[in-house]
């Protein structure tokens, strides 16, 4: 299925290489990524999350309630954006805090879908706890879709 | 005011138990595009010290939104769901949600306030195992748009 991400075929017993705290500094940029989202992906997320609100897949319904078109679940954007952090950290279980504001909806047209550009930068580090705070930026169609997007991870 | 402000401070009884399954974790991880094998391969998860596959950081919303439903569906709260917009979301993980966990959610209505003709309601769901171990605190702010 085209919406299922490919996964590396590393041996399943390989332990995680969690990023070392000593190699991280304030101001470091995480590798940026683009998340493509189309209607199929929104239906997939609706089923996975049990959030079946029609504004996320039913175009006539979305327009009838005053939206420009179908919009992505805010939680889809939040959940896909943090994969930038989990991949950089090396273990999804190390993300101990994550919060965002939903500033604008991601509009998802039928034909083209939408691209969400996600980047991240290290805002603070705490040597006592080996916690690092990453601020994420997510934009779609040139507009910020998340505000105050901060993820805290514990490194090795 | 589109929301009953008397609801501030209300705490709902714990929900029925939600059992976290490996299948649901995999489905959710694929939907958000998380390639970390820790969501799908129990051997990888155990090698990292987890009891089984663990959920992505936002998986808890699935359980928290079921808890929020108690408030949103409560006729006395007066919330018109068709006017609800998700404003903010935050998770604090005390440990990762793990396949096999049996968790209950307790919904707290932390604040009900009005701003610019809209109502804003902040809820907090405390997820804990049936044995009482804290797992995740999920805080959500919804905006109920005022009438035009």
């Amino acid at each position: 299925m085209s919406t299922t991400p490919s996964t590396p075929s590393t041996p399943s017993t390989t332990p995680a290489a969690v990023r070392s705290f000593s190699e991280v500094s304030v101001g470091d940029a995480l590798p940026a990524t683009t998340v493509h989202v189309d209607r199929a992906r929104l239906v997939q997320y609706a089923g996975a999350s049990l959030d079946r609100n029609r504004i996320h897949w039913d175009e006539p319904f979305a327009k009838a309630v005053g939206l420009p078109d179908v919009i992505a679940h805010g939680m889809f954007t939040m959940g896909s954006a943090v994969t930038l952090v989990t991949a950089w950290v090396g273990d999804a279980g190390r993300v101990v805090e994550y919060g965002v504001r939903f500033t604008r909806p991601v509009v998802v047209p039928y034909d083209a879908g939408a691209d969400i550009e996600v980047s991240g930068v290290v805002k603070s580090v705490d040597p006592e706890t080996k916690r690092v705070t990453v601020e994420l930026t997510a934009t779609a169609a040139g507009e910020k879709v998340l505000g105050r997007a901060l993820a805290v991870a514990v490194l090795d | 005011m589109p929301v009953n402000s008397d609801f501030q401070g209300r705490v709902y009884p714990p929900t029925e138990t939600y059992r976290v399954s490996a299948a649901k974790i995999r489905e959710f991880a694929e939907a958000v595009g998380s390639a970390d094998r820790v969501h799908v391969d129990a051997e990888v998860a155990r090698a990292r010290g987890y009891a089984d596959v663990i959920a992505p950081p936002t998986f808890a919303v699935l359980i928290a939104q079921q808890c929020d439903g108690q408030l949103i569906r409560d006729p006395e709260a007066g919330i018109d769901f068709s006017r609800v917009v998700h404003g903010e979301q935050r998770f604090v993980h005390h440990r990762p949600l793990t396949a096999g966990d049996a968790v209950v959610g307790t919904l707290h209505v932390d604040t009900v306030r009005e701003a610019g003709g809209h109502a804003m309601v902040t809820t907090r769901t405390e997820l804990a195992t049936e044995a009482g171990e804290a797992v995740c605190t999920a805080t959500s702010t919804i905006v109920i748009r005022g009438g035009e």
Side-chain angles (χ1 to χ4, degrees):
Chain A
M1 187 160 91
S2 63
T3 51
T4 301
S6 61
T7 46
S9 57
T10 47
S12 62
T13 50
T14 304
V18 170
R19 185 168 296 273
S20 168
F21 179 84
S22 61
E23 66 187 59
V24 174
S25 305
V26 171
D28 286 357
L30 281 64
T33 191
T34 301
V35 175
H36 183 70
V37 53
D38 59 14
R39 298 285 177 84
R41 174 55 72 95
L42 293 181
V43 170
Q44 184 184 5
Y45 183 78
S49 68
L50 308 179
D51 182 343
R52 305 188 185 97
N53 192 324
R54 299 177 79 96
I55 60 173
H56 304 305
W57 50 271
D58 183 338
E59 185 172 322
F61 181 87
K63 289 178 172 171
V65 298
L67 294 167
D69 204 331
V70 161
I71 61 168
H73 305 74
M75 287 307 305
F76 169 80
T77 303
M78 183 181 186
S80 60
V82 79
T83 62
L84 187 79
V85 178
T86 55
W88 177 78
V89 169
D91 178 10
R94 296 300 188 98
V95 173
V96 292
E97 292 180 26
Y98 181 36
V100 306
R101 274 182 164 186
F102 301 105
T103 51
R104 280 176 183 275
V106 175
V107 178
V108 183
Y110 176 80
D111 287 327
D115 286 324
I116 306 169
E117 313 287 346
V118 185
S119 59
V121 65
V122 176
K123 295 301 283 185
S124 64
V125 299
D126 180 0
E128 296 276 309
T129 58
K130 294 186 177 175
R131 285 180 174 220
V132 301
T133 301
V134 173
E135 181 166 36
L136 288 167
T137 301
T139 61
E143 306 262 23
K144 276 195 179 190
V145 294
L146 299 179
R148 273 203 328 222
L150 297 170
V152 179
V154 182
L155 303 185
D156 270 350
Chain B
M1 175 102 178
V3 179
N4 184 345
S5 58
D6 292 347
F7 274 64
Q8 180 162 307
R10 184 168 294 209
V11 182
Y12 284 80
T15 53
E16 62 183 75
T17 300
Y18 179 90
R19 293 183 190 282
V20 179
S21 74
K24 198 67 188 172
I25 287 174
R26 172 189 284 265
E27 188 185 354
F28 192 93
E30 287 178 348
V32 295
S34 180
D36 192 335
R37 301 291 298 164
V38 78
H39 306 309
V40 297
D41 188 329
E43 275 186 55
V44 167
R46 288 189 195 107
R48 296 188 197 173
Y50 305 115
D52 202 334
V53 294
I54 61 165
T58 61
F59 179 93
V61 75
L62 190 162
I63 313 168
Q65 284 187 345
Q66 310 296 312
C67 294
D68 282 343
Q70 295 174 99
L71 169 69
I72 289 166
R73 286 191 305 268
D74 192 330
E76 286 176 30
I79 295 174
D80 177 355
F81 187 64
S82 72
R83 293 185 169 277
V84 168
V85 177
H86 201 177
E88 293 183 41
Q89 182 69 45
R90 184 159 187 268
F91 302 95
V92 175
H93 294 286
H94 311 299
R95 68 157 174 80
L97 273 164
T98 307
D101 279 343
V103 294
V104 293
T106 305
L107 177 68
H108 302 250
V109 183
D110 280 347
T111 58
V112 176
R113 62 190 191 279
E114 215 178 344
H118 308 301
M120 287 151 78
V121 180
T122 299
T123 58
R124 170 171 50 91
T125 299
E126 298 288 355
L127 294 179
T129 63
E130 286 176 319
E133 179 195 7
V135 179
C136 177
T137 303
T139 309
S140 172
T141 299
I142 58 169
V143 181
I144 302 104
R145 294 177 292 136
E148 45 266 349

